[in-house]
Amino acid sequence: MQEERTRWTIEENVPLAPYTTIGVGGPARFFARVADEAGLMDSLAFARARACPIFVLGGGSNLVVSDRGFEGLVLKMEIAGVRTGADGATLHAGAGTEWDLLVRHAVERRLAGIECLGGIPGTVGAVPIQNVGAYGQEAGDVIAGVRAWDLEGGSFRRFDRDACAFGYRSSLFNRPGGRRYIIVEASFRLRPGGEARIDYPDLRKRFAGLEGPPSLAETRDAVLAIRRAKGMIWSPGDPESRSAGSFFKNPILPPATVEALADALGPGAEPIPRFPVPGGGIKVPAAWLITHAGLGPHTSSGGAAISARHALAIVNRGGATSGDILELMAKIRSRVREAWGVDLEPEPIFVGFEPFIS
Ligand SMILES: Cc1cc2nc3c(=O)[nH]c(=O)nc-3n(C[C@H](O)[C@H](O)[C@H](O)COP(=O)(O)OP(=O)(O)OC[C@H]3O[C@@H](n4cnc5c(N)ncnc54)[C@H](O)[C@@H]3O)c2cc1C
């Protein structure tokens, strides 16, 4: 059954797998495409009238949806468009705008600040939620503000950068209490004519022989090439990229713990890569811990396996179920705990599972 409205359409029992990059997930009981704020209001009224839960879907690139699907209303965020602010440096983008399109838009206008974040799938609205980051840049560094609907307060609210409280893969919006906000627009204050950020070792290597800094466009192209080699550009035809991106966060460990692990490895062993972070902790690449726990592309559960191109990605090699993904996740966590005493925290959002997974 389809219920037609002027601004939006409610569909029923819509399979969610095609709306996720990992290609897994059962149906949404109700499904609405939201193309403007009026459509958002109508959709929320629809859910309220049926007392059904709401899930906001962007590009589905950070999700594991249960095979049972979602017993509520999925709001597919499609409020799109980009405006340049009066200062010529701030870009305001609708939450449903494709993220990589915004990166291209900025690079073409020589606005620096997000050039290293090219090629990340998904929408603008999801970017502040986990403070998307890659290759030495984090979106939270340039987010000037966010406009969101407060499901509890029943009104629109604006958050400046401080109020967003960004951290590593975290913000107000993915901490307890922050799930009540539906982001409709995010603003990015960029640097007109600014130089590209070349901090990340792979990028430094790439531009080693160059006199002077590379342009923003060259930097974005280099990032795309590096990502492609790691299967981190989503391409539906390539099973090694059919993933939810990095499946685990890089753990931040106390320096003493990292020292103890290094000592246990003994002299002559390959050193543990370590990156000090503000606050005194040491970030250790989860991919390194996984590989050095003896896991790799041979590690699989049903149709789910560790990517052959990036140890941090779980890929759907074909016909994977959400159960396969959970089983493989548990296998990886338990092996890494056994080998390193480190608890890996999953990065994707789990939808439609009972009990709640985190
Ligand atoms: C190949 C690949 C590479 C990736 N590389 C990176 C990377 O380098 N760095 C990185 O940080 N991430 C990476 N990711 C993860 C993912 O792309 C990002 O987290 C992205 O921001 C998710 O956007 P989305 O629109 O697909 O969100 P979805 O997956 O649809 O949703 C993710 C979460 O955000 C919520 N959400 C989405 N839109 C809104 C909104 N408007 N308001 C409120 N809540 C909302 C959803 O409810 C859900 O909880 C990668 C993923 C893939 C598949």
Side-chain angles (χ1 to χ4, degrees):
M1 179 194 93
Q2 280 203 349
E3 218 176 298
E4 294 290 340
R5 292 284 193 282
T6 45
R7 282 181 293 266
W8 74 184
T9 310
I10 294 280
E11 294 172 70
E12 289 193 60
N13 301 318
V14 173
L16 291 172
Y19 290 98
T20 70
T21 52
I22 200 164
V24 168
R29 176 74 185 85
F30 300 108
F31 186 93
R33 293 174 187 278
V34 167
D36 55 26
E37 289 183 6
L40 175 63
M41 293 304 113
D42 287 348
S43 304
L44 294 176
F46 176 91
R48 232 181 354 258
R50 283 155 187 82
C52 67
I54 290 166
F55 177 77
V56 183
L57 173 69
S61 62
N62 207 26
L63 300 183
V64 178
V65 179
S66 148
D67 296 327
R68 287 203 305 271
F70 181 70
E71 249 321 297
L73 172 65
V74 169
L75 293 180
K76 172 90 174 75
M77 178 52 70
E78 294 186 347
I79 300 176
V82 181
R83 284 179 294 120
T84 305
D87 61 1
T90 306
L91 296 181
H92 307 277
T97 309
E98 188 195 331
W99 169 252
D100 192 48
L101 193 135
L102 183 71
V103 174
R104 244 180 302 155
H105 186 95
V107 164
E108 279 163 12
R109 283 155 188 80
R110 297 202 162 78
L111 296 170
I114 52 176
E115 61 283 351
C116 297
L117 301 178
I120 298 178
T123 55
V124 164
V127 161
I129 294 181
Q130 70 152 359
N131 184 16
V132 156
Y135 301 98
Q137 269 179 348
E138 275 190 350
D141 290 342
V142 293
I143 289 178
V146 163
R147 178 171 142 83
W149 175 260
D150 179 355
L151 284 165
E152 285 178 22
S155 60
F156 281 105
R157 283 187 58 180
R158 277 186 189 282
F159 298 87
D160 64 14
R161 188 171 164 276
D162 286 346
C164 293
F166 293 115
Y168 169 61
R169 295 296 176 274
S170 71
S171 73
L172 162 77
F173 307 107
N174 67 1
R175 295 198 193 105
R179 301 247 171 227
R180 59 197 266 197
Y181 301 112
I182 298 178
I183 296 175
V184 293
E185 186 179 83
S187 305
F188 302 82
R189 188 161 304 129
L190 304 171
R191 287 174 284 112
E195 279 183 12
R197 175 150 190 174
I198 310 296
D199 267 359
Y200 195 81
D202 280 3
L203 281 177
R204 269 199 247 126
K205 211 186 305 162
R206 197 123 189 150
F207 292 121
L210 204 72
E211 269 181 39
S215 69
L216 300 182
E218 285 167 333
T219 305
R220 177 174 173 271
D221 288 348
V223 165
L224 294 184
I226 297 168
R227 294 187 75 93
R228 203 162 283 120
K230 293 183 177 173
M232 281 289 167
I233 296 283
W234 184 66
S235 157
D238 173 5
E240 288 303 315
S241 83
R242 215 181 289 139
S243 76
S246 300
F247 206 91
F248 299 100
K249 296 183 186 178
N250 293 317
I252 296 173
L253 305 174
T257 307
V258 182
E259 281 312 322
L261 291 176
D263 288 347
L265 281 174
E270 187 186 325
I272 304 177
R274 42 184 105 182
F275 302 92
V277 295
I282 310 274
K283 196 195 277 183
V284 175
W288 193 93
L289 296 174
I290 292 170
T291 311
H292 289 76
L295 303 171
H298 58 278
T299 314
S300 63
S301 290
I306 292 182
S307 162
R309 296 204 215 121
H310 196 338
L312 209 44
I314 288 182
V315 292
N316 175 0
R317 292 233 170 105
T321 63
S322 62
D324 294 340
I325 294 169
L326 293 201
E327 199 177 288
L328 181 57
M329 172 180 87
K331 211 184 268 185
I332 297 170
R333 287 178 95 176
S334 125
R335 182 70 198 109
V336 167
R337 206 178 294 123
E338 229 171 75
W340 298 105
V342 172
D343 230 336
L344 289 182
E345 191 190 336
E347 191 180 298
I349 306 295
F350 294 85
V351 184
F353 292 93
E354 215 47 76
F356 185 72
I357 295 170
S358 66

